[in-house]
Amino acid sequence: KCILDLKGVFMNKGLLVATILSISCSSFVFAEDACDETTLHGYMTNIKDEMRLMSSDVKAGDNDAAVQRVDTLISFFEKARNETPYKFSADNLQGGQLKEQTSEYTKVVDDTIVILKKLENALESGDTTQVKVLFGEIGGQRKLGHGSFKANC
């Protein structure tokens, strides 16, 4: 009878260990889909950092450095264009709704790239008035993109 009790204890411990492992693995799988761990989030973090540095370059009067940052920003936006915002999966978008939202996302990214190219030209020509206007347009694009495509998580 004592041996049977010990077998039950070991079986229960085995079940406990299996349950803990299962929960741990499930948590890891769910964490992989977190919005702050996507490729797009990585690009957007890089974009935010480059924007701040570009702004500092412009304030310091270093338009050549700012132009280089614009090139880097365009590269990140071109990469981001091919990603799917986490919000689309979080909102379980499918079919026509997914296609429509993807099209709108692509348009916002493409429009931002166009503005960045105009900014690059304004920086190269030293047109500070146009640079300020284009910074404002980029801010508008940011608000539009985040308001429409950024998940609340």
Side-chain angles (χ1 to χ4, degrees):
K1 188 172 184 178
C2 185
I3 293 174
L4 290 176
D5 288 338
L6 287 177
K7 284 183 181 178
V9 168
F10 285 119
M11 286 180 62
N12 288 337
K13 283 185 181 180
L15 182 60
L16 177 63
V17 169
T19 302
I20 291 170
L21 286 173
S22 176
I23 290 170
S24 297
C25 290
S26 296
S27 297
F28 178 76
V29 169
F30 290 129
E32 289 223 18
D33 287 340
C35 65
D36 62 349
E37 295 181 8
T38 65
T39 302
L40 180 57
H41 183 266
Y43 292 144
M44 291 299 156
T45 299
N46 292 337
I47 287 167
K48 177 182 70 173
D49 294 343
E50 285 296 317
M51 287 287 213
R52 286 182 181 162
L53 293 169
M54 180 185 62
S55 178
S56 294
D57 290 339
V58 170
K59 287 177 185 174
D62 191 351
N63 285 4
D64 291 336
V67 166
Q68 293 300 316
R69 298 218 187 270
V70 171
D71 289 336
T72 301
L73 286 164
I74 290 171
S75 171
F76 282 129
F77 274 105
E78 287 171 342
K79 291 175 184 176
R81 185 183 193 280
N82 299 317
E83 298 297 323
T84 301
Y86 176 80
K87 182 176 183 178
F88 294 3
S89 61
D91 291 350
N92 198 26
L93 297 182
Q94 298 175 15
Q97 194 177 25
L98 176 61
K99 186 175 180 179
E100 179 183 328
Q101 287 295 303
T102 300
S103 177
E104 288 181 31
Y105 167 75
T106 303
K107 182 179 180 344
V108 170
V109 171
D110 288 346
D111 290 349
T112 304
I113 291 170
V114 168
I115 294 168
L116 286 167
K117 289 179 179 180
K118 289 179 184 177
L119 177 62
E120 185 173 38
N121 291 334
L123 287 165
E124 289 172 340
S125 68
D127 187 346
T128 55
T129 302
Q130 187 65 11
V131 168
K132 288 178 185 177
V133 168
L134 293 167
F135 270 149
E137 289 183 25
I138 290 169
Q141 288 296 108
R142 179 186 162 276
K143 287 179 185 176
L144 177 63
H146 286 180
S148 300
F149 310 114
K150 185 177 180 185
N152 294 326
C153 49

